[in-house]
Amino acid sequence: MSTDQVTKRALHFNNSSYPRFGRGIYSEKNPPQSVKDSPYFWWFKFLQLNHGYLETEKNDGVGICSEMYKDFGKITDVDFKSWWTSHSHLFAEEQSTFQFIQVKTASDLAPFDSTEAINLVVPLTWSKKGLKKRFSQIIDRYVIDQPKGLNLSTSTAKYRLGTRWVCHAMDAAYRVYTIRHENMDRGAAKTSKMQHKGDESRKFKLSWADVAIQAKISGTSDLKIADVNSHTTDARRVLTILATRYHERAEDYIKCAATSTFPPPRAKKASQASS
């Protein structure tokens, strides 16, 4: 077994939402659902949209995200699987000083005054039932029961999850944001006012409702882009509200992606929007 394999197996996360790539060929354009269901995937994808980080990358690590760049490195034109393979340790919990092993030499023993580990003598002449009962009694004296459910506040990872997440909402926000900006013309603003000379002009080719339709937001299957009539007015009005809401969430995700904690607290509200 290689060193990389040992390191990978030794990683421990305080949640079970790390990406699972499976054995098939990985496609960044169409990743498996087990990857899209991971908040770490969306952390990476939204960071790829963060202007400050991208500028820092262009300047070889010099910029407002210089400290994060030292850890995350190049993310442009890099697929998530390749990046995660060499950076997953950044999201893992700190390694324990001791391992659960069978002691073979005195050097394997934990110090008798240690608060992180204890040494046990296990009589092999006992029954399994008796051993399990006694082991449970001893462990209960030293190890406190963890509360049920996800407890993010106890994480020791350098980059940690900040709140509960809804991956399908992040997916929808990402689609809306990228489609909106892919259908935008940029140019110099036409103005006679000196204070606005050099300003950028933005013209969007798609309406918010059409962005929602192209992003395949829930409720758009029967609608077509640019199909505006008396029968679609109400539906398009609802889609406009949803699309703008998802776009606002995406901006929050993008900003937060360049910090040590993701997603942002208010991202929880995204679950209230249908995707």
Side-chain angles (χ1 to χ4, degrees):
M1 183 180 294
S2 69
T3 303
D4 288 342
Q5 289 175 311
V6 173
T7 302
K8 184 176 181 180
R9 289 192 175 188
L11 295 181
H12 169 67
F13 300 86
N14 81 329
N15 65 87
S16 59
S17 295
Y18 47 85
R20 296 169 175 82
F21 297 96
R23 297 183 178 181
I25 298 175
Y26 178 75
S27 169
E28 186 73 1
K29 292 184 177 180
N30 187 30
Q33 194 61 45
S34 56
V35 172
K36 294 175 68 176
D37 286 340
S38 171
Y40 299 112
F41 172 74
W42 295 111
W43 192 335
F44 177 79
K45 298 303 289 184
F46 282 111
L47 185 60
Q48 288 182 317
L49 300 175
N50 186 286
H51 179 73
Y53 192 92
L54 296 180
E55 285 298 308
T56 301
E57 181 179 313
K58 288 180 181 178
N59 295 324
D60 295 323
V62 179
I64 60 174
C65 296
S66 57
E67 288 303 312
M68 190 176 195
Y69 184 80
K70 293 177 183 177
D71 291 329
F72 281 40
K74 185 178 184 295
I75 62 171
T76 304
D77 298 324
V78 177
D79 69 87
F80 175 67
K81 183 178 181 180
S82 299
W83 182 87
W84 177 261
T85 300
S86 56
H87 294 84
S88 56
H89 64 280
L90 296 170
F91 307 91
E93 301 302 299
E94 292 181 356
Q95 294 287 336
S96 173
T97 305
F98 299 96
Q99 292 181 316
F100 199 114
I101 61 171
Q102 178 182 341
V103 173
K104 295 186 179 297
T105 65
S107 62
D108 293 333
L109 291 169
F112 294 121
D113 59 350
S114 174
T115 59
E116 297 182 45
I118 59 173
N119 301 296
L120 292 177
V121 176
V122 182
L124 299 181
T125 55
W126 287 26
S127 67
K128 284 187 177 180
K129 183 177 181 181
L131 286 172
K132 290 179 180 179
K133 180 179 179 180
R134 184 57 181 149
F135 182 79
S136 179
Q137 291 173 340
I138 294 174
I139 294 302
D140 285 346
R141 284 162 35 194
Y142 292 96
V143 182
I144 301 175
D145 287 337
Q146 295 294 326
K148 293 183 178 180
L150 187 63
N151 187 1
L152 299 173
S153 62
T154 61
S155 175
T156 60
K158 184 172 184 179
Y159 294 91
R160 65 191 70 179
L161 299 175
T163 186
R164 294 183 181 276
W165 55 88
V166 183
C167 285
H168 67 79
M170 287 192 275
D171 188 354
Y174 182 85
R175 295 197 309 271
V176 166
Y177 186 92
T178 53
I179 290 172
R180 174 72 168 171
H181 289 266
E182 285 170 358
N183 289 277
M184 178 180 65
D185 287 331
R186 297 173 182 264
K190 296 180 180 179
T191 178
S192 58
K193 297 181 179 180
M194 291 301 296
Q195 64 268 33
H196 295 300
K197 289 289 186 181
D199 285 359
E200 183 182 60
S201 173
R202 297 183 179 186
K203 183 179 180 180
F204 295 94
K205 303 175 185 177
L206 288 180
S207 66
W208 282 113
D210 288 333
V211 167
I213 294 172
Q214 187 170 326
K216 298 181 180 180
I217 300 301
S218 179
T220 62
S221 58
D222 296 329
L223 298 174
K224 297 180 180 179
I225 291 177
D227 183 14
V228 183
N229 56 61
S230 59
H231 300 292
T232 62
T233 300
D234 290 342
R236 290 178 65 87
R237 185 180 297 112
V238 172
L239 292 180
T240 296
I241 295 172
L242 286 175
T244 53
R245 184 179 299 172
Y246 275 125
H247 192 272
E248 290 175 358
R249 295 290 183 267
E251 290 179 328
D252 289 341
Y253 292 136
I254 292 169
K255 181 179 180 181
C256 188
T259 70
S260 61
T261 306
F262 179 91
R266 68 172 294 202
K268 184 177 180 180
K269 298 179 181 179
S271 62
Q272 298 173 2
S274 171
S275 67

